[in-house]
Amino acid sequence: MKGLVGAHRVGKSTLTKALVKLGFDELPVSISKWQKELGTDSSNMNYSWETRKKIQERLIRSFGSLLFVQAISAQITERTPLDLYGYACINAPENPTEEDVKWLNEYRHECIRLTNNYYTHVALIQPGIPYVETDKSAKEDTIEALNAVYLSLFLDSSLTVKKYIMPVDCTDINIRANITSAFFINRHE
């Protein structure tokens, strides 16, 4: 299994479509669908931290179940469990308690464990394409904060999959697709 990691509005959906045209099979991952099934909405910024933690825990269980049942090595996903850790971080309290830090560390460990168990390659798609705001998009500073979290994950030695970080200035979809495709089939590492 191969996966794309990255914040909202960085071009993961467009890149996934381009990779499918190059012959990859997609395993659809819909975090928003899982949230609707939970009766929650990620754009609601009024959830308490305790509620957010429960949502995150249910999302990682849903992701793990999907991977356990449907993961095939030739597939790609537009999101990985690593993405969920980013969401947890950007919604964490500014002054976390010792218990909050413990929870975040355990959540990070679980997101990395699932990624290591089911993926062979992950590619971080960084912000670089022009930002287009929609009523459902995260703000630009949130996108940068998420990217910083993902960069830190890619530097974590416990993440043992093959990793690639798309340069910020690589914005042409054809170049992005060719680079990512080559990386996913081990011609570019």
Side-chain angles (χ1 to χ4, degrees), residues 3-169:
L4 301 179
V5 179
H8 307 284
R9 314 302 298 168
V10 297
K12 291 183 312 299
S13 297
T14 303
L15 179 54
T16 299
K17 289 174 189 166
L19 290 168
V20 167
K21 287 181 182 176
L22 291 175
F24 288 90
D25 294 322
E26 180 186 8
L27 174 59
V29 172
S30 179
I31 293 170
S32 59
K33 177 184 164 203
W34 293 334
Q35 286 187 334
K36 286 178 186 167
E37 290 171 0
L38 297 171
T40 61
D41 177 6
S42 62
S43 64
N44 180 350
M45 300 310 276
N46 297 319
Y47 292 123
S48 70
W49 173 234
E50 291 306 313
T51 300
R52 285 235 178 243
K53 288 193 303 188
K54 288 177 184 165
I55 293 168
Q56 291 296 137
E57 288 167 356
R58 293 195 53 198
L59 290 174
I60 197 68
R61 281 195 304 271
S62 295
F63 213 138
S65 295
L66 173 75
L67 293 172
F68 179 76
V69 172
Q70 297 191 28
I72 299 170
S73 64
Q75 291 177 315
I76 59 168
T77 60
E78 184 180 313
R79 294 227 176 257
T80 72
L82 301 176
D83 289 280
L84 294 178
Y85 177 70
Y87 302 145
C89 285
I90 65 166
N91 288 297
E94 281 187 39
N95 298 306
T97 65
E98 202 172 296
E99 184 180 309
D100 294 332
V101 171
K102 181 178 183 235
W103 183 89
L104 280 165
N105 284 332
E106 289 170 357
Y107 197 75
R108 179 185 181 108
H109 175 75
E110 179 61 9
C111 292
I112 289 173
R113 184 190 72 76
L114 283 173
T115 303
N116 286 338
N117 283 351
Y118 291 101
Y119 290 82
T120 57
H121 298 69
V122 291
L124 173 59
I125 311 307
Q126 295 194 88
I129 62 172
Y131 175 75
V132 178
E133 188 171 346
T134 70
D135 59 338
K136 293 187 178 185
S137 23
K139 301 292 181 213
E140 272 187 278
D141 58 340
T142 302
I143 291 170
E144 292 299 332
L146 278 167
N147 194 56
V149 170
Y150 300 138
L151 284 167
S152 76
L153 283 171
F154 272 55
L155 295 173
D156 188 324
S157 62
S158 67
L159 182 63
T160 57
V161 298
K162 292 181 171 129
K163 302 168 275 241
Y164 175 74
I165 300 172
M166 182 72 62
V168 172
D169 63 351

